[in-house]
Structures are given as C-alpha cells and as structure tokens.
Amino acid sequence: MRFTLKDYQVDAVGDTLAELTDAREFYHGPRKRVSSVALTATTGAGKTVMAAGVIEALFWGSEDFNTVPDPDAVVLWFSDDPSLNQQTRYRLEQASDRLRNRLVTVEHPFRYRKLRPGHVYFLNTSKLSRNSLLVRGHDADGVLPGLESNPDTVPFTFWDTLRNTIEDEGTTLYMVLDEAHRGMGRRASSDTPTIVKRLINGHGSVPPVPIVWGISATVRRFEEAMSAAEVDNRVHLRTITVDPVRIQESGLLKDDIVLDFPAETGDFNTVLLRRGVRKVKQLSSAWAEYSAAQNEPELVEPLLVLQVPNKPSPTEVASAIDVILNEWPEVGSDAFAHVFGDHTAQTFGAHSVPYISPERVQDATYIRVLLAKDAISTGWDCPRAEVMVSFRPAVDETHITQLLGRMIRTPLARRVEGDDLLNSVECILPRFNKATASRVLEQIMGNDSTETGTGTGQRVLIDPQLMTPNDRVPDSVWTLFTELPAETLPRKHANPIKRLTSLAHALAADGMVPEAGQVAHGRLHGVFNGLAAQYPEELGKAETDVLTVAGGTVRGHARYGLRADETWTEVADDRAIQEAYRHGSRTVTPDIARTYVNHLAADADDEDVLRNAHVRVAGLAMLPQTRPALDAAANSLSSEWLSTHRVAIKTLPESRQSLYAEITAMSTDPQLISMALPKNRQEETRRAVGDAIQMLDQRPLHLLSDEDGMFPVGKLNPDEVHVLDTEIQRGDLLAWYRNPTAGRDSMSISYQDAHGVWRTLRPDFLFFVDGLDGVRVNIVDPHGSWLPDALSKLRGLARFAEVYGENFHRIESISRIDGELRVLDLTLPTVRKSVLDAIDADFAYRHSSVEY
C-alpha cells in the first residue's frame, strides 16, 4: 500500500478479510454456499483505500492481518456508472502500486474465456445490457437453434466467461458491488430483474456469484436489496460498520461545515459570490502562512466550487465569472474549468471554460475555480475544494448536500491541529433562506448515524466568528497546556514490530537516531539469539521438523480385511525448506527474517551456512515463545525512543509531529501523547429566534476568544453553564478551555465500553487555577449518570486518574442526582475503587459523591 491506513481503516480491512475468508470456505465446502458481506462507512472515509488493502491481502497475503494469499482469487468490480468505475480504478492505482498492472476494464472484444486470478475487472451495467457487444446473443429466447448471434469476432459472450469462471473449481470469484444501494430495483414497467440481480442470483446457465461484497455509505438499502435478491442459499455473513466517531477523530474529514445564506429576501447572487471569493482568498492566505510556518512549500491551493443549475444561463455564468475576476484579478482566466457532462469547452459570454475530468481536479492545482452541476455527486473527492457557492434554487438542497459531501476530506489527509479555519469547508447559498438552509443542515447531520455522521463531533455552523488566542491568559497557562498528558486510542490490529520499524525510519529521517533501522533489527536479532540459548531442545526439535517431511501410509489387505497404518519421513529438499522459511517469516515479519539470515550468514561463502540460517529462522518461528518475545522487545525499544526524543519531536513541523502521533498510537494499549496548542476556533455568536437575532451568552477567560476576550457559551447545556459559572466564582481561575470533540488540541482519555471496545472520552472542561505551587489544572466533566456510557466513561476516567493523577489538581465527574449536582473526585483512591466496583453510574454517585 502506498498509503498508511488510519486506525479505523486497519480494523475495517482486518474484519472484512476475516469475513471474506469465511465466505471462501463456505463456497468451497461441500454445500457450495454462496454468501454476501457488506462494508459501510460515511462519505469521505476512504472506502476505496480500504478495498485496496483488502484486495492486496487477498492476492498477496498480509502479515499485518495474518492472511495467507489466495492464488485463486479474482475480483469483479461492478457499478452502475462507467465514470464511477474509472474514478475507482484511478484511486486503486493511487493507493496500491502492486495492483497497478492488474486492473482491467472490461471492453469489447473481451477474449478471455475465464477471468484470470490475481486481477480486478471493472464492469458496469451498460456493458451487460441486451444490446451490448459483450453479451449480444446470450439471451436467445425465440431464436431458432443455430442462428444465435455471438459478439463480433468472439465465439462467446461475457456471460459465458462469467459462467466458466464460477464453475472453475480452482477459482474464487469475489464481486464488489460499488455504491451497493444502487441498481437493486426492477426495470420500469417490467418484472424483469435488474442486471445486478441477475449477477447475484444467476440466470439461465450462469450460476450465482459465489461471494458478493457490498461497499456503500448506505448499507441499509444494500441489506434490504440482498434480502430481496431471492437467492435461497445465500448467507449474509456480516456487515462491517465503520464507527463514524473514529472516522472524524482520524482527522481525515473536516470538522466544521459553515453555511452562509441571506437574512432577507432579494437577489444576492453577486453579493454572496463576492463573499465566497473573499473566503477562498482568506483560506489561500491562511494556507500560505501555515506552509511558511512549517517551512514547507505551498501545501494547499484552495479551490472555489461554483455550483450552477443543470441548465445554466450562459449570461448568468458569464456574469459570475466577471464578478470572480473583479474580486480576484490575480487568479487569471486560465484558472477556471468545468466538470459538466459535456466534455468539451463551454462558452459563457467572452469566457471559454475548458473541461477537466473530476478525478484530475485535486492534482490540477492551477485550477482555482471549478464550475459544477450535480453529475459529480458520487465517486468524486476534492479535498482542496474548501468553498462552494451554489446558484441552485432552494428546492435543490439534496443536490447541494451531495456535492458538499464530496468536499469534506481534509487536504493533507490529517487535521491541522488547533486550527478550525483550515479544518472547515464553507457553503454559501445565495438563493436559500433560513428554512431551506436548515433542511440542508438536517441532511448533512441527519438522523441515520451510519450515513450522516450524527454524534461524530462534526459541526454545522451558521455565520461563525473566529476565536483566536486570548491575550489575557498568562503565558504559564499555555506552557502547562502543552505538558498535559493525553492518550491515544488503542488499535485492534496493532503490530509492535511494524510500529518499531516505522519509528526507526522516522527517527533516522529526522536525524535523531542515525542508523535506527540497524539498531532496531539488532535488538530483535538479540531476542532470536536469546531464545536459541534459552530453548535449545525445543529449537532443535523444530529445526528437525523443518529438515524432514513426515507422511503416512495406510495398508489394507483385501482378503482378510486387515488395515495397517504406517508413518514415514523423508529429508526435506531446498524447496520444502524455503516454504517453511516463508511461512516462518510471516510470523516474525519478512524484514526481520531477512536481516537475521544475513546476520547469521555474514561473510560466509558456503551455501550450507545460508541454508542453515533459513532453517534456524523457520525453527525459531515455530516456537510459541518467539513472537511474544519479539513484540515485547519491540514495544520496549519504541517506548524508550519515544520517551528519549519526546521534547525533540515537539520542535518538528506539524506534519512530522502528526506522523509520530500516528506511530505512537500503533499499540493495543493506550499510549501517552502531548497536546497541541489550539490556534483558533470557529464559534457561532448568535442564533435566530423567529425573525429576530439573539446574541449568545458569553464568558471571559477562555483560551480562545474574540477581540474583547469573550467566548460564546450559548450552546452549553444548563448544567455545563452552572459548572462553568461556579468555577469562575471560586476566584482562583486563570483560564478555562471547552475541550473540542477531536484533534490533538483536545484532552483525550481512552476507555473501554460495555463490549470491551476501546473508545475516546473527551472531558468537557479544563480549568487552569492559581495554586500555592503555581498553575494547576482541573479536569471537570459534567456527564449524566443515566446515559448508557456513563459507567464505562467513569471507569476510564478512574484509570486515567490512577496513572496520571499527579499531573492534575482535581479530576472530577459531575451528574445531577435527585435534582442536585453531585461530584465524584477521582483523585481519591476510595472513589476510584467505588467506581470500579459499581454496578452502574447512578450507584457510584449515590455512594461516593459529594455535593458540587
């Protein structure tokens, strides 16, 4: 893989591979059961990248997922849109260099009687329509025998190719149904099943596809469609649902969606288009400043998307282009392009605007203004598109929402820590009012969390104000902020050796540990040597097993009915030894196996020495003590390096700090990380109440504030406001911080939910107070005891207090019990024990809390 998978992507790939392995065993079992698997994740989560990871592991195996290669695997990638297939192929090529030469678009003439294992074939609905040359003559109802018409120059149809592939015992066909909710209905005015259903169910002499793998953001429709597919023996194994909270926390999606619309009736196209241009210019300056601060070349060239109706007025578009050029003269007319269905240059007044294919927009950084309709709402992403002005009428909120969904990926595939401005996307709606803008908001945030990301921490803001560092906050508070401990979210598929290798590469690249790779491998080679000395008998037996091939013979006497079982052994040849070595290298990782062989056979010209080294590695890999010992040594060295170079890492550019944060998180246990300073935050300062505008309440001393030192608190609930006011009134408050819902500028604490799944708790408030021994910090988290996650979060907070309590003055959780606020002080051992022993959160508060 060319891309490093995010933690949620790693888990999704691992879970999908496990289900596909079961599906393969189902199909090749005695009952030939066909099955389906589904993967669902919100728009922008990187479903195609996850698919690339799965397909790579199917074809070549993966040590990370403990998957052996399936030499018989062939993938048929199916969608109802040829342009979607083209974009998917492009993304797979970007994600995986190993797949580059194995991606085949099915076109006429297709001259293969069977699909070849180890390849991905792209097919769309139109290629299987009745009149397509690929399948012409396949449906020969009413045609006299001998007069069937096959495709030109090919004596078989693609349906024949499909049948031959499925019936081949040495082939396993996986059908990927892309955007799986589409194309599952019936044709208009006909009961004839759609082409998709014919693939799934089989028809005529063509058997059903063995394994259907649906990929979509809308899995509910896929599951309903599979239920309606009417295949008696197809089993739906599992739907892998990617947690939208983890997607948002990964930094892959922008945190804020800002909506602007006129507050009065009238024609405001020009006014709001100018506002959109100013916004994109502001973002251009912000990205330029960020790039300069990171000492890197221009990282992002923000794009303005102008969305027009399906039949735009040439005069109106020409006027819009004139407005943009007047407001942004330095951009030039060459910076315009369109992605209309007409793939030719379009003329609008005196302006000629060329066409660009959607998948090229992201990399064509000279394009700064893009004209679009609604034809690219599926399958297209452009992370550098950060401002959209839509001229679509108010009835088109769905089309606006769909296009906006293509713009929510972060340009750097990571969050810019603490900077809300660079983590946002803006939509300006000149033809909307508050009511229709609210409907867009509802569609974005929606009620179906699997589709819209409800509860993920992603915010939709209307006319927000930018809060910046509060100059009334003492420097000592900011210094302490960067020293606060926070925790990473543990990973289910963590590989300590891979983590150490990644860390070694990073430290060597940054000049902190020269030859770090050699040092790391040397440490692990020492583990091998120690195991060989500690377990000589077990290792000797394992090496003997490698050097011999055991078998059995069964003898039967036909006359007397006697049976005799015998065993035998033969000396293994070089091919058998190499197979044992390859199997063992997957256990200890190929890189470590290779360098240890080189270590054992260094400066030796004798081939027997090299052969013995391969036997040693294979034998060591068979010992049950080997992998745990390697993992322990890898974790130990990683922790040592991260601790030693913690301060130096903080001085690196943010992109490198983010890399080290990712490496730190590659563990099955929570890991300590430092918080990043917040740079700015977008907050709404007013809200509409009927036809009037009401200013939100404000409080002083927040770390980020407006020019007057104030921060809006109108979105806090009453208990949170009460807690905030109580802390302010204590008299020792230097500053407070409303903890964000994502990012490294947020206090993050790992906890396990009721099912043992690791999740992230982000307490509501940090309060910085003036103590006798200097500035101290308090964690205060108002959280209802009646909520289903309350006890799990309390236990996570108790564990955190046990480990890091000395860094804080108070660590408190607050809930309203019988009408009054009660507090659990988790710095107290007795309270922590009560929380750990409690049957629910309400019990813990009633037995161990005090009045707040």
Side-chain angles (χ1 to χ4, degrees), residues 254-285:
K254 292 166 183 168
D255 291 328
D256 295 341
I257 300 170
V258 180
L259 299 183
D260 283 355
F261 55 90
E264 52 191 274
T265 304
D267 184 356
F268 300 106
N269 282 7
T270 299
V271 173
L272 291 188
L273 179 57
R274 291 185 185 278
R275 178 179 175 85
V277 175
R278 289 195 298 272
K279 290 281 188 179
V280 78
K281 291 173 67 176
Q282 178 189 17
L283 283 164
S284 297
S285 298

Side-chain angles (χ1 to χ4, degrees), residues 29 38 65 111 166 185 208 211 262-263 378 395 461 467 609 664 816 842:
F65 302 108
R111 303 183 182 277
I166 296 172
I211 302 168
T378 298
V395 295
L461 305 174
M467 305 286 151
V609 175
T664 302
R816 189 168 290 278
D842 183 76

Side-chain angles (χ1 to χ4, degrees), residues 505-513 652-653 656 659-660:
H505 287 165
L507 291 171
D510 291 321
M512 296 185 196
V513 182
L652 296 174
R656 300 300 294 174
L659 172 63
Y660 284 101

Side-chain angles (χ1 to χ4, degrees), residues 490-551:
R491 298 188 179 180
K492 182 165 58 176
H493 295 281
N495 183 330
I497 298 176
K498 183 176 180 181
R499 179 186 185 221
L500 176 61
T501 302
S502 299
L503 179 59
H505 287 165
L507 291 171
D510 291 321
M512 296 185 196
V513 182
E515 308 296 337
Q518 293 183 19
V519 174
H521 282 228
R523 179 76 65 93
L524 299 182
H525 295 168
V527 173
F528 282 142
N529 294 336
L531 290 168
Q534 189 175 0
Y535 302 102
E537 294 183 6
E538 292 88 341
L539 180 57
K541 183 180 182 302
E543 290 181 345
T544 299
D545 289 343
V546 173
L547 290 168
T548 57
V549 178

Side-chain angles (χ1 to χ4, degrees), residues 76-141:
L76 179 65
W77 193 289
F78 190 88
S79 80
D80 67 347
D81 184 354
S83 63
L84 179 58
N85 273 356
Q86 181 181 353
Q87 292 161 25
T88 300
R89 176 172 177 165
Y90 176 76
R91 284 197 206 156
L92 289 177
E93 287 178 346
Q94 284 185 313
S96 171
D97 50 352
R98 303 179 80 179
L99 289 175
R100 177 178 292 273
N101 296 322
R102 294 171 179 263
L103 306 178
V104 181
T105 300
V106 175
E107 301 282 2
H108 175 78
F110 191 78
R111 303 183 182 277
Y112 297 98
R113 290 185 177 274
K114 289 189 299 186
L115 302 180
R116 295 175 294 169
H119 288 75
V120 182
Y121 293 89
F122 292 91
L123 189 67
N124 62 77
T125 309
S126 63
K127 298 290 179 63
L128 296 183
S129 63
R130 185 181 298 271
N131 295 323
S132 168
L133 289 176
L134 277 172
V135 298
R136 192 170 67 186
H138 176 75
D139 294 319
D141 295 343

